Amino acid sequence: NTGKGSTKKLFASNIDEAVTRAIELRSELRNRPIRDIRDVEVMAQLDQEAHRKLEMPELVADLLIGEVLEAGGREIDLAAVAMDVGNALAGDVGKFRELSLRALQTLRKELPGGITNRRPFHWPLEFPEVFCRENGGFDAFVGNPPFLGGQILSGTFGPRYKEYLAQHLSIDEAATADLVVFFFLRASSLTRRAGYLGLLARRSLAEGKNREIGLEQLIKRGVIIYSAHTNIPWPGKASVIVHQIHMAKSKWSGVVKLNNVPLPFISSYLDDLALGSPEPLRHNAGKMFQGTILNSEGFKITSDR
């Protein structure tokens, strides 16, 4: 969503036209039979032309993400941005270069050392035919999202990116969680109604804030966990325990199974107990502390020291 009212209308029609043409080119590419090398060459040309059609929409998307990072949680006034984009779409080459540089600079905001640039992946532009159809989105997601603890997101990706995740991917309210939680939320948002998700996660997904921000919010919005295999030792070298979770974005009429045992339902705790989220005991405020958080190897010492 690029904005509200007339701000969006200033350039939305041009972007819609570019996306429509890209979809037509990709449809022609998929339907073209391959008989010899000339057909392959034509298909490569069609793919390149489709990507060229999406250059401006991708720049606009990069620019908007950069503006969000630049704002750092503040509200963004897109009127000036929309005017510049309109001029670039009208053929102003200088304005296009100016916006490209601006997007590059804002996307680099507060990058940690060793990282040269951020490269946003815009799902609707990478797969326009998937999102422009009725009930847009993917039919299913299957994957093993990466793990990164919420406490070290800032050091790895920068404070602005952590703020972006908390403000724009968290469903109910701004919140910080482990990176895998945001992968679950994002995958769900990209899946169409009546679609499915099958994802792996470390067992912390069903615990504490991670559970509240992730699985609990998805269930509240109609996602059904219809199958789960919990506490699986990772088969590789890493000494971790994982959960395998299968979800449906619709009513589920089949059997619900937890570790191959049929159950009436599976909760956000990955059990069949209808428990709500715990409430803080205010009279215990100030009596507990989470302890030391090790942010690097340099804080570790051996027992003989």
Side-chain angles (χ1 to χ4, degrees):
N1 186 4
T2 56
K4 296 180 180 179
S6 58
T7 300
K8 181 178 178 181
K9 293 177 184 177
L10 285 173
F11 53 81
S13 60
N14 300 74
I15 291 177
D16 289 342
E17 182 181 344
V19 171
T20 299
R21 180 56 183 151
I23 292 174
E24 291 172 353
L25 290 167
R26 291 189 178 190
S27 178
E28 183 180 346
L29 188 156
R30 287 196 305 271
N31 294 327
R32 188 177 185 87
I34 302 176
R35 291 179 292 265
D36 53 40
I37 188 62
R38 285 173 295 182
D39 292 310
V40 176
E41 292 171 348
V42 171
M43 292 174 72
Q45 293 172 1
L46 290 171
D47 186 56
Q48 291 174 4
E49 186 178 349
H51 278 94
R52 282 195 298 270
K53 289 293 180 183
L54 293 174
E55 277 185 357
M56 193 63 208
E58 287 174 351
L59 171 59
V60 173
D62 283 353
L63 190 62
L64 293 178
I65 295 295
E67 292 297 315
V68 170
L69 294 175
E70 179 77 20
R74 301 187 307 274
E75 188 174 348
I76 304 170
D77 181 7
L78 291 177
V81 177
M83 193 66 69
D84 288 341
V85 168
N87 292 333
L89 286 169
D92 188 333
V93 177
K95 185 60 67 175
F96 180 87
R97 291 172 181 166
E98 179 186 325
L99 292 179
S100 298
L101 180 60
R102 181 173 172 179
L104 188 64
Q105 291 173 338
T106 54
L107 286 172
R108 286 175 174 171
K109 194 71 176 182
E110 293 183 352
L111 270 175
I115 302 177
T116 58
N117 199 10
R118 291 188 179 99
R119 297 182 60 189
F121 189 90
H122 308 293
W123 291 91
L125 295 179
E126 295 293 338
F127 304 97
E129 60 271 39
V130 171
F131 291 91
C132 289
R133 59 178 175 168
E134 185 178 354
N135 182 22
F138 291 100
D139 296 320
F141 259 94
V142 178
N144 175 18
F147 176 83
L148 190 67
Q151 296 289 349
I152 56 177
L153 283 174
S154 291
T156 305
F157 298 118
R160 297 298 176 102
Y161 184 73
K162 178 183 178 181
E163 186 69 19
Y164 168 76
L165 294 177
Q167 293 284 346
H168 298 279
L169 290 193
S170 181
I171 295 177
D172 192 32
E173 59 186 25
T176 300
D178 293 346
L179 185 62
V180 67
V181 174
F182 294 113
F183 267 82
F184 270 67
L185 295 176
R186 186 66 171 135
S188 176
S189 71
L190 295 170
T191 304
R192 66 194 317 206
R193 294 189 305 276
Y196 299 90
L197 300 98
L199 302 171
L200 289 175
R202 289 174 65 167
R203 55 185 175 187
S204 59
L205 181 80
E207 300 170 352
K209 276 291 183 183
N210 285 336
R211 182 196 64 81
E212 294 176 23
I213 297 167
L215 293 180
E216 182 173 285
Q217 295 303 319
L218 290 176
I219 289 174
K220 283 182 178 178
R221 282 154 181 78
V223 174
I224 304 295
I225 302 175
Y226 65 88
S227 178
H229 298 270
T230 61
N231 300 316
I232 305 169
W234 187 249
K237 294 182 179 180
S239 180
V240 296
I241 304 297
V242 299
H243 298 321
Q244 184 184 91
I245 304 171
H246 301 267
M247 297 168 280
K249 287 189 66 175
S250 64
K251 293 182 179 179
W252 177 256
S253 57
V255 178
V256 174
K257 289 186 176 182
L258 175 62
N259 297 322
N260 292 320
V261 177
L263 295 173
F265 69 95
I266 298 175
S267 74
S268 62
Y269 291 93
L270 299 183
D271 59 26
D272 62 339
L273 301 178
L275 298 175
S277 292
E279 295 292 334
L281 298 175
R282 300 194 182 280
H283 63 274
N284 282 342
K287 295 182 179 180
M288 298 184 68
F289 175 62
Q290 67 180 358
T292 302
I293 299 173
L294 297 177
N295 289 318
S296 71
E297 295 292 321
F299 288 94
K300 295 182 180 180
I301 59 174
T302 60
S303 58
D304 58 356
R305 291 184 184 177

